[in-house]
């Protein structure tokens, strides 16, 4: 018999990659999915199986992290060997608008999982992974950040995740539970939500190249993030639960880059050079040059004439509405412990990540370009 895993947040970026990874390893994967007015299973549709089939390896349950009884019932029914608690209101800026809800889902939601496992007498059987975050370091107290670096959260999201981090440690120490924190730095992919900065950029750059969109408004261009690929990071989550003893690990690449440089690299990937000038809300990024060979190869010849006409125009602008009340200016992680103890090593560097995201978004956005050509109204709905 293969192992049984329960994934909260299965419809999210990490949940989707994790499901695929565990199914390939022979697991039966159960996932908790919120009821919504649309299916919202796009990221896991390729794994979907008809509920009438016997011996399925992907089973979805309706549930919500705010509903204790529901969480307890599902864990009781599933009797998981491993729980990956990935569900969260995961957007830092949105957490300033919905602080109480974020605390409930991201903070108390973790308590609900831990307490359910305890009350169901599953402490010896069920291992728990808690999706902790580099946002805990916030106003960083040490560079680079590692497991022993003090936390200084800078948002309702980070404060909620701080509670989740410590309640996980507490249940491990108090009840001898196999409960672990992965302190993961930013990880991205073609499946990344459209309102996180990397995906907002790769989508906008693709749409600008294809002539669907004129420009994009961004927030703080100077903050720095340590970006890895989600595919590498879910392997680390898995390894954390396969150890002999439970522990907490930082997962990061050790390289940090500004938002501005991520934008520049995304344009360069498809043969467009941009130059930034000005500061603060007045900063803009203009198209400086087109490298035709690369552009034609990556985007297509039919889009070349249009982008050439736009040399000298500003395509990146700043709107202060995207600034955060308190910002995390710099994140850079030291994953020595994970590399040594888990033998974890990321395969993707930043250029390979951007190449993957740009390739998929150009392909995806071309569908919109053809719809636009056919007369359909194409909306810009970036927030
Ligand atoms: P994501 O794409 O935003 O996915 C979040 C998932 O949580 C979605 O499936 C979402 O469901 C679900 N969810 C939200 N509220 C819920 C609720 N009340 N009840 C049940 N499910 C709920 O996030 P991600 O990037 O995959 O990240 C996974 C986890 O890692 C999160 O906990 C995040 O905070 C943490 N983390 C992420 C990063 C990163 O860089 N990606 C880094 C460190 C830590 P819907 O699809 O219905 O919205
Ligand atoms: N979202 C967004 N949109 N961010 C922008 C924009 C914009 O238009 N312009 C600049 N930024 C800056 C933000 O101010 C922040 O400094 C940085 O880009 C990254 O923002 P996000 O991509 O939204 O990610 P995050 O770092 O705040 O949070 C993500 O990573 C955390 C791990 O460190 C999320 O995935 C969290 O759930 C995760 O815990």
């Amino acid at each position: 018999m293969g192992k049984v895993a329960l994934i909260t947040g299965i419809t999210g970026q990490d949940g989707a990659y994790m499901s695929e990874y565990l199914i390939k390893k022979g697991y039966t994967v159960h996932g908790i999915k919120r009821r919504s007015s649309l299916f919202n299973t796009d990221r896991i549709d390729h794994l979907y199986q008809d509920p009438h089939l016997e011996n399925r390896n992907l089973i979805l349950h309706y549930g919500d992290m705010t509903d204790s009884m529901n969480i307890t019932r599902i864990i009781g029914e599933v009797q998981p060997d491993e729980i990956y608690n990935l569900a969260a209101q995961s957007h830092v800026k949105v957490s300033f608008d919905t602080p109480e809800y974020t605390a409930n889902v991201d903070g108390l939601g973790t308590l609900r999982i831990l307490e359910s496992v305890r009350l169901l007498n599953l402490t010896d059987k069920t291992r728990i992974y808690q999706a902790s975050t580099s946002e805990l370091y916030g106003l960083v107290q040490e560079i680079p950040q590692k497991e022993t670096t003090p936390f200084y959260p800078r948002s309702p999201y980070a404060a909620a995740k701080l509670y989740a981090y410590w309640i996980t440690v507490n249940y491990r120490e108090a009840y001898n539970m196999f409960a672990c924190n992965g302190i993961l730095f930013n990880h991205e992919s073609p499946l990344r939500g459209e309102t996180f900065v990397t995906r907002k950029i790769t989508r906008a750059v693709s749409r600008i190249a294809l002539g669907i969109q004129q420009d994009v408004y961004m927030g703080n261009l100077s903050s720095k993030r340590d970006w890895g690929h989600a595919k590498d990071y879910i392997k680390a989550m898995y390894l954390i639960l396969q150890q002999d003893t439970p522990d907490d690990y930082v997962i990061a690449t050790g390289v940090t880059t500004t938002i501005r440089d991520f934008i520049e690299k995304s344009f360069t990937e498809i043969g467009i050079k941009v130059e930034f000038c000005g500061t603060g809300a007045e900063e803009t990024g203009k198209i400086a040059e087109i490298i035709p060979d690369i552009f034609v190869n990556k985007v297509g010849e039919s889009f070349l004439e249009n982008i050439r006409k736009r040399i000298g125009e500003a395509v990146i602008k700043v709107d202060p509405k995207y600034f955060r009340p308190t910002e995390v200016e710099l994140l850079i992680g030291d994953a020595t412990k994970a590399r040594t103890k888990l033998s974890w090593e990321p395969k993707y560097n930043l250029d390979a990540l951007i190449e993957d995201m740009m390739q998929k978004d150009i392909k995806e956005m071309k569908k919109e370009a053809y719809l636009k050509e056919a007369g359909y109204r194409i909306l810009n709905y970036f927030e």
Side-chain angles (χ1 to χ4, degrees):
M1 288 287 281
K3 284 189 187 172
V4 175
L6 175 65
I7 301 178
T8 71
I10 194 163
T11 54
Q13 171 189 256
D14 292 2
Y17 281 121
M18 187 51 109
S19 309
E20 191 173 330
Y21 185 71
L22 292 177
I23 287 171
K24 278 195 186 136
K25 285 200 172 292
Y27 279 63
T28 301
V29 170
H30 292 255
I32 298 183
K33 182 202 157 343
R34 290 195 280 185
R35 137 78 196 163
S36 64
S37 61
L38 294 170
F39 281 132
N40 187 29
T41 50
D42 300 23
R43 291 184 176 111
I44 49 169
D45 278 350
H46 61 297
L47 303 171
Y48 179 80
Q49 292 164 326
D50 187 325
H52 304 97
L53 289 177
E54 277 179 30
N55 302 323
R56 281 180 297 153
N57 52 21
L58 179 73
I59 297 151
L60 297 180
H61 306 257
Y62 278 116
D64 199 293
M65 294 303 291
T66 60
D67 184 338
S68 307
M69 285 182 280
N70 159 268
I71 296 285
T72 309
R73 181 182 54 76
I74 294 172
I75 295 175
E77 279 172 19
V78 171
Q79 300 275 306
D81 297 297
E82 294 168 12
I83 297 178
Y84 294 89
N85 183 31
L86 310 182
Q89 190 303 92
S90 71
H91 203 284
V92 173
K93 176 75 162 55
V94 172
S95 78
F96 287 97
D97 301 327
T98 61
E100 184 186 346
Y101 176 73
T102 303
N104 194 359
V105 176
D106 300 11
L108 290 178
T110 305
L111 174 67
R112 292 183 182 108
I113 298 275
L114 292 161
E115 184 65 357
S116 295
V117 168
R118 189 176 81 85
L119 293 177
L120 290 162
N121 292 321
L122 287 170
T123 44
D124 291 339
K125 174 182 170 71
T126 306
R127 296 181 170 205
I128 301 169
Y129 173 86
Q130 167 56 21
S132 284
T133 166
S134 49
E135 278 290 302
L136 294 170
Y137 298 118
L139 187 63
V140 298
Q141 304 293 297
E142 188 180 22
I143 299 171
Q145 297 86 51
K146 51 182 186 283
E147 290 80 3
T148 50
T149 303
F151 297 139
Y152 194 131
R154 292 272 279 173
S155 63
Y157 167 79
K161 287 279 187 178
L162 183 76
Y163 174 80
Y165 173 92
W166 282 116
I167 200 68
T168 300
V169 173
N170 181 248
Y171 269 59
R172 180 168 78 220
E173 293 173 353
Y175 305 119
N176 206 23
M177 284 170 68
F178 200 108
C180 311
N181 288 286
I183 308 172
L184 270 53
F185 282 62
N186 300 49
H187 46 281
E188 320 292 314
S189 74
L191 296 187
R192 186 58 145 150
E194 293 93 340
T195 60
F196 295 99
V197 79
T198 55
R199 189 79 198 292
K200 178 170 170 177
I201 293 166
T202 58
R203 277 171 59 97
V205 169
S206 303
R207 289 163 66 102
I208 289 165
L210 294 165
I212 312 169
Q213 187 173 331
Q214 289 302 298
D215 48 31
V216 64
Y217 285 85
M218 305 296 305
N220 179 5
L221 298 175
S222 299
S223 60
K224 291 180 158 184
R225 288 293 181 272
D226 178 333
W227 283 297
H229 199 299
K231 275 190 181 174
D232 284 329
Y233 284 42
I234 55 115
K235 285 183 199 158
M237 297 181 195
Y238 170 76
L239 287 171
I240 288 171
L241 288 198
Q242 311 313 312
Q243 302 309 301
D244 291 337
T245 47
D247 207 346
D248 308 316
Y249 297 86
V250 159
I251 305 297
T253 68
V255 177
T256 194
T257 309
T258 62
I259 311 303
R260 189 180 295 105
D261 285 348
F262 191 100
I263 295 173
E264 219 175 297
K265 280 174 175 289
S266 302
F267 274 112
T268 304
E269 168 60 28
I270 55 166
I272 303 175
K273 288 210 176 302
V274 287
E275 273 173 12
F276 285 89
C277 58
T279 53
E282 304 310 317
E283 184 165 357
T284 57
K286 290 183 180 158
I287 297 184
E289 191 188 343
I290 309 295
I291 319 291
D293 291 356
I294 302 178
F295 188 87
V296 168
N297 181 28
K298 303 265 180 175
V299 185
E301 192 157 11
S302 54
F303 303 97
L304 183 61
E305 199 190 322
N306 175 60
I307 198 74
R308 269 188 166 145
K309 283 190 207 144
R310 302 208 57 205
I311 291 175
E313 287 182 26
V315 285
I316 304 294
K317 297 172 183 171
V318 172
D319 182 342
K321 88 169 179 181
Y322 296 115
F323 294 164
R324 294 167 183 193
T326 40
E327 175 64 285
V328 172
E329 296 291 351
L330 164 72
L331 290 175
I332 177 166
D334 174 357
T336 304
K337 182 175 170 185
R339 286 173 198 265
T340 318
K341 294 200 167 175
L342 306 176
S343 302
W344 176 78
E345 205 63 54
K347 285 196 184 134
Y348 285 82
N349 63 18
L350 185 63
D351 288 340
L353 168 69
I354 290 176
E355 186 184 357
D356 190 25
M357 293 180 73
M358 283 303 301
Q359 203 178 34
K360 304 271 169 40
D361 272 335
I362 288 282
K363 196 172 163 200
E364 188 64 29
M365 295 305 125
K366 269 190 182 166
K367 293 180 203 156
E368 288 196 6
Y370 296 131
L371 286 174
K372 191 180 175 206
E373 209 176 282
Y376 286 88
R377 180 165 171 248
I378 305 295
L379 296 175
N380 283 344
Y381 43 83
F382 303 115
E383 271 306 325

